[in-house]
Amino acid sequence: MESIEFIIGSYLLTFGAIAVVAGRMLRRARSLSHRVPDEEKYWL
Amino acid sequence: MPDLTPRPAEPMPSRRRRRIGPILVLIAVVGFGGWVLSNLRTAVDYYCNVDEVGVRDGCDADRRLRLQGTVAEGSVVASTTRTEFDIEFEGVSVAVRYAGEPGGIFNECIPVVVHGVFDSDTEVFLGDRVEVKHSDEYVSVNDERLTAAEESACSPSA
Amino acid sequence: MTTPTTSRSTGTRATRVIGIAAIVMSAWLSLFGLVLSPADVAQGDAVRIMYVHVPSVWLAYLAFIVTAICSVWVLVARGRVPGVDRVAGASAEIGVVFMAVTLVSGMLWGRITWGVYWQWDARLTTTALLFITYIGYLAVRGLEGSPEQRARRSAVVGVVAVAEIPLVHWSVRLWRSLHQEATVLDTDLDVDIDGLMLFTLFVGVIAFTLWFVWFVLHRARVMALAALVEERSLDEALAERAAEVPAGGQN
């Protein structure tokens, strides 16, 4: 495969961005979630 | 002691008058945007086609240009220091001399944009940057119609 | 102060199903994009970048359109729909992330096909402008003011900014550009793309749409949690302050 570093790099960048954003968001959700009672969480 | 007696309220503009203002602003913005877009056409166009040199406004031969055309079949001559080739568009051809080896997917029969100036003596276009302009068609290397695609590859595109 | 709670996340059964589906579709996308789909006659293997580049920009456009729709709703309701405002903000945040991914993956694709990472042509410039506009939108969301004021103010930007999307999409038609014209969303409906390549692109669009839904649901819930925590913190601070003041006394 020609220019493999660019091709693999673009996939790593894309899925890496998804993983980083998802990870940060879930961590933030956990840190906030225990400070709010369940009855105030509209999604439950 | 300040006078705290309620003052009569200033008359509010009518509902109709309040609506006219934003509509006029919207019309002005859209109109101005359209005018800017139409006038930017030459300034924002990224390149001049080969057949437009000396014909189209902004494509004068005595200024720095970005020239678009398809690399002529069999015209590429590469040495260690430079690459020479012809680019064509709508039957008009220009000889290009580029100091270096073009990057990207540069090849014969592929549209390119060359940045540079014309040599006034030889009328050769002296390029200092070559960019490959690939099409919006995607054909598999395994495609049965590959021969037809290759045959049509050298036909000029806009 | 901690509150007794059983749920420690913003997840539900629905988000878990969507998340798993997004992961599975992303795995399929990688398999098809990197292995099973063919190389292109002109571009060779560089075409494989298209399978993440195009779905990324699709997601960004979708996110900005959702922001605009929610913004209209916010303006009609005069800012009194905090849930809708949160979806607008969450969607714009996700859109900005994927617009950044689009720009960088496009630069990598450009380097191996055009020969350059970047050029200030019509498509690239308008795309960069769209990205900066939505960074501005997020900045406006962070300005001072009551929740209603902030919602209304950012909704105006959200409605105006979406007008840039048609400009970006048709920039390659309006002006001559180094960037190729649209292949699938072409106005002449002439889809010039190999079948397996189109299928791979379709897998990518589905995968990224699932990611979008998953991200927006979670992010909007995180924003709701943050608002509730802020509200509770303020109530607690006021209660503490009130307790400090001697009964019948002045401070």
Side-chain angles (χ1 to χ4, degrees), chain C residues 115-137:
Chain C
V116 289
Y117 285 106
W118 186 267
Q119 262 307 340
W120 291 104
D121 80 336
R123 169 58 72 82
L124 275 63
T125 306
T126 50
T127 307
L129 194 66
L130 183 67
F131 176 61
I132 291 164
T133 303
Y134 277 90
I135 289 177
Y137 169 85

Side-chain angles (χ1 to χ4, degrees), chain B residues 47 49 68 89-90 111 133 156-158, chain C residues 181:
Chain B
Y47 52 76
N49 290 320
Q68 196 265 159
F89 194 88
E90 298 287 333
K133 187 183 181 304
S157 59
Chain C
E181 290 189 11

Side-chain angles (χ1 to χ4, degrees), chain A residues 7 10-11 14-15, chain C residues 29 48-57 101-102 105 201 208:
Chain A
I7 297 164
S10 66
Y11 278 71
T14 306
F15 293 116
Chain C
L29 172 63
R48 299 182 190 285
I49 295 180
M50 176 175 70
Y51 308 125
V52 286
H53 178 72
V54 174
S56 299
V57 76
V101 168
T102 303
S105 61
L201 206 52
F208 279 55

